[in-house]
């Protein structure tokens, strides 16, 4: 009996561990989007995070707080079926994902973004094994584990991201390198883990698949948004509209990969012990003055340097806590360049504006102040007195 168990038990474990890598059933289709869509956020900020497991109720509740959401359930059944059919034609299924653009430009973009069927099929399997429990089958951020963590896993549909280094407006797409970085280091002090044990090739397949879910979700989102808000800018033929939306989203993704926020100088000493020279401390001092300048605005949101908990609505209709910058935890990366890109480009999806009116030198002053802020001994005595009164 014990011998039998010693054979059967490991086999059971093997079967379990292998579960996640089982292919998807060929007949499985992506389900239609049913969760509420933000049309307009309320003017007054939220008091705190959504209650655990109640994200959709929280978003639907924006209607009662002066905002407005659109409900996909209001769509006539016929339009719903048509949309599902079009999405299936353009993007395939979890077992056989693809991006069908139907023209040469589109095909070139698909190749450049590495969205060919083989890569996507490999990415889809890895996603099932490592990401689905949080980010959900369609990338809606509502996987079985996802409902219970805060901040919620990213809703990858719509192709909106937070930690983006590309140049452009608040809604710009991330570069492939941005997405790859998130998979290597994870997101500090959230449940998003680092995937260090995967190979570079596997992470690249996951990046491709993430872009794919973003494209698919964005086409679905824009069509639902247009139909439910009765926009007259949509083509009457939904298939034509979907193809044109896909083409423009592909162009945005390609553009994002072309230019990153790149400062002309990199004045931060590599070694933190070198950050005590008079010239560096003078930069920290200027940084604090810029931060506390009400015309610049940092301090208005990061009240008391972020120690006071304040919340804003994010682009998905959930709420996000304004960072406590005395803690020294940075979700978008902790190198000086990461922080430069964050401040210069803003975190549009979280409501943090881009600080594009500041000069490069002023932005570096802010980076130097922020890097020193969590460690009172790194601050010049006069600044320490202002930030940590009594210390
Ligand atoms: C245990 C839950 C969990 C798992 C598993 C997980 N994530 Fe995440 N992920 C999160 C959370 C939480 C966030 C959002 C953090 C935030 O808002 O700052 C996130 C954010 C992201 C982002 C957004 C980055 C940005 O700039 O906005 C991407 C991309 C991402 N995850 C991809 C993946 C991929 C690919 C996998 C699988 C290899 C994965 N995640 C597995 C929880 C998870
Ligand atoms: C309108 C409100 C608002 C303003 C103004 C604002 N921030 Fe933020 N900031 C936020 C929010 C919200 C977050 C948290 C984003 C998240 O976690 O999704 C944040 C996060 C940060 C982070 C952490 C980034 C990371 O990777 O985790 C830094 C650094 C930062 N802000 C610096 C600044 C500086 C410097 C200024 C002024 C130039 C500024 N902020 C202005 C709202 C604001």
């Amino acid at each position: 009996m014990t011998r039998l168990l010693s054979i059967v038990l490991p086999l059971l474990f093997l079967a379990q561990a292998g579960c996640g890598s089982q292919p998807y059933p060929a007949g499985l289709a992506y389900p239609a989007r049913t969760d509420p869509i933000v049309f307009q956020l309320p003017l007054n900020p939220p008091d705190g995070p959504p209650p655990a497991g109640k994200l959709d109720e929280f978003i639907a509740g924006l209607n009662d707080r002066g905002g407005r959401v659109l409900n996909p359930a209001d769509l006539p059944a016929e339009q719903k079926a048509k949309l599902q059919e079009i999405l299936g034609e353009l993007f395939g299924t979890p077992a056989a994902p693809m991006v069908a653009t139907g023209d040469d430009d589109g095909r070139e973009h698909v190749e450049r973004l590495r969205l060919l069927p083989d890569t996507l099929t490999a990415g889809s399997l890895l996603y099932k094994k490592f990401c689905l429990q949080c980010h959900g089958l369609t990338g809606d951020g509502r996987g079985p584990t996802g409902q219970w963590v805060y901040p919620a896993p990213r809703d990858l549909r719509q192709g909106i991201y937070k930690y983006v280094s590309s140049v452009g407006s608040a809604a710009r797409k991330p570069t492939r390198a941005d997405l790859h970085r998130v998979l290597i280091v994870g997101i500090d002090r959230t449940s998003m883990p680092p995937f260090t044990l995967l190979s570079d090739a596997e992470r690249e397949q996951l990046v491709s698949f993430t872009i794919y879910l973003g494209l698919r979700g964005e086409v679905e989102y824009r069509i639902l948004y247009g139909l439910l808000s009765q926009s007259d800018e949509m083509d009457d033929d939904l298939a034509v509209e979907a193809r044109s939306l896909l083409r423009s989203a592909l162009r945005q993704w390609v553009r994002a990969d072309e230019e990153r926020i790149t400062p002309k100088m990199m004045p931060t000493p590599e070694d933190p012990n070198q950050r005590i020279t008079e010239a560096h401390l003078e930069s920290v001092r200027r940084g604090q003055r810029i931060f506390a300048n009400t015309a610049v605005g940092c301090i208005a949101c990061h009240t008391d340097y972020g120690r006071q908990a304040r919340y804003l609505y994010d682009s998905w209709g959930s709420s996000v806590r304004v960072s406590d910058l005395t803690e020294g935890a940075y979700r978008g990366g902790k190198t000086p360049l990461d922080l430069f890109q964050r401040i210069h480009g803003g975190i549009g999806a979280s409501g943090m504006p881009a600080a594009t009116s500041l000069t490069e030198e002023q932005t570096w002053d802010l980076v130097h102040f922020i890097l020193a802020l969590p460690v009172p001994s790194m601050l010049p005595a006069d600044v320490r007195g202002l930030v940590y009164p009594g210390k």
Side-chain angles (χ1 to χ4, degrees):
M1 181 65 190
T2 23
R3 254 193 77 189
L4 188 67
L5 269 183
S6 68
I7 296 170
V8 170
L9 275 181
L11 276 181
L12 273 178
F13 274 117
L14 271 180
Q16 271 243 314
C19 240
S21 49
Q22 288 291 309
Y24 286 106
L28 177 72
Y30 285 110
R33 176 167 181 166
T34 54
D35 52 286
I37 290 177
V38 175
F39 183 76
Q40 200 187 328
L41 291 169
L43 288 176
N44 294 326
D47 309 325
K54 299 253 186 292
L55 179 60
D56 287 341
E57 289 88 333
F58 183 86
I59 298 175
L62 298 184
N63 277 333
D64 307 327
R65 277 174 265 145
R68 193 179 151 206
V69 296
L70 306 170
N71 187 355
D74 294 340
L75 206 65
E78 196 187 316
Q79 276 182 337
K80 211 180 286 176
K82 181 80 193 148
L83 177 55
Q84 275 298 90
E85 184 193 321
I86 294 169
L87 290 171
E89 280 164 13
L90 290 181
F91 298 104
T93 62
M98 61 172 181
V99 181
T101 60
D103 69 18
D104 287 347
D105 271 3
R107 259 191 296 275
E108 192 198 316
H109 290 161
V110 163
E111 268 175 46
R112 270 183 63 181
L113 291 164
R114 296 188 236 167
L115 303 175
L116 293 173
D118 283 355
T119 314
L120 293 183
T121 305
S124 181
L125 267 185
L126 288 166
Y127 181 87
K128 178 167 182 268
K129 195 167 175 187
F130 296 112
C131 323
L132 186 141
Q133 77 262 34
C134 283
H135 290 282
L137 179 62
T138 55
D140 60 5
R142 290 160 169 82
T145 313
Q147 327 246 351
W148 307 102
V149 302
Y150 181 78
R154 181 75 62 255
D155 179 346
L156 299 166
R157 303 165 302 173
Q158 295 172 225
I160 305 178
Y161 295 85
K162 288 186 184 176
Y163 312 113
V164 178
S165 70
S166 59
V167 180
S169 68
R172 66 209 192 278
K173 306 291 186 212
T175 65
R176 282 188 75 95
D178 289 334
L179 296 176
H180 200 130
R181 190 193 60 83
V182 167
L183 294 184
I184 291 180
V185 297
I187 301 183
D188 204 11
R189 300 214 194 165
T190 76
S191 60
M192 171 72 199
F195 290 91
T196 352
L197 294 179
L198 296 179
S199 67
D200 265 350
E202 286 170 317
R203 277 191 298 262
E204 285 297 335
Q205 288 164 345
L206 281 164
V207 167
S208 292
F209 192 71
T210 304
I211 297 177
Y212 161 83
L213 288 178
L215 285 167
R216 188 189 172 282
E218 181 165 353
V219 171
E220 179 181 40
Y221 160 78
R222 290 199 183 280
I223 290 195
L224 283 174
Y225 188 97
L227 291 173
L228 292 166
S229 63
Q230 292 170 347
S231 153
D232 42 16
E233 281 166 30
M234 298 225 330
D235 198 295
D236 288 339
D237 185 339
L238 280 192
V240 172
E241 180 68 20
R243 276 182 202 284
S244 121
L245 288 170
L246 171 57
R247 273 197 299 274
S248 81
L250 278 167
R251 273 197 299 274
Q252 285 178 18
W253 277 99
V254 167
R255 204 176 310 137
D257 246 354
E258 283 167 354
E259 206 184 338
R260 307 187 78 181
I261 298 171
T262 320
K264 291 191 194 67
M265 47 178 183
M266 298 280 267
T268 321
E270 284 280 331
D271 177 1
N273 293 323
Q274 296 297 313
R275 295 178 194 163
I276 47 170
T277 59
E278 206 31 61
H280 190 80
L281 292 180
E282 197 45 49
S283 170
V284 170
R285 219 174 250 126
R286 285 194 301 269
Q288 188 275 333
R289 282 200 295 269
I290 299 168
F291 194 93
N293 181 340
T294 45
V296 178
C298 315
I299 198 92
C301 256
H302 296 270
T303 315
D304 194 17
Y305 303 94
R307 282 178 288 221
Q308 247 182 61
R310 296 195 53 208
Y311 291 83
L312 298 179
Y313 286 110
D314 68 19
S315 291
W316 300 269
S318 181
S319 81
V320 57
R321 189 197 187 285
V322 178
S323 305
D324 180 352
L325 299 173
T326 65
E327 283 185 344
Y330 310 108
R331 292 182 174 167
K334 55 177 186 256
T335 69
L337 179 59
D338 289 327
L339 289 172
F340 185 97
Q341 290 171 332
R342 231 46 351 99
I343 296 169
H344 181 78
I347 310 175
S350 302
M352 168 158 148
T356 35
S357 58
L358 300 178
T359 64
E360 183 171 324
E361 197 192 12
Q362 288 172 321
T363 310
W364 279 120
D365 290 339
L366 278 170
V367 170
H368 295 157
F369 168 63
I370 282 167
L371 282 171
L373 177 59
V375 193
S377 63
M378 297 289 283
L379 294 168
D382 49 328
V383 174
R384 187 159 59 239
L386 291 169
V387 181
Y388 297 97
K391 270 208 185 170

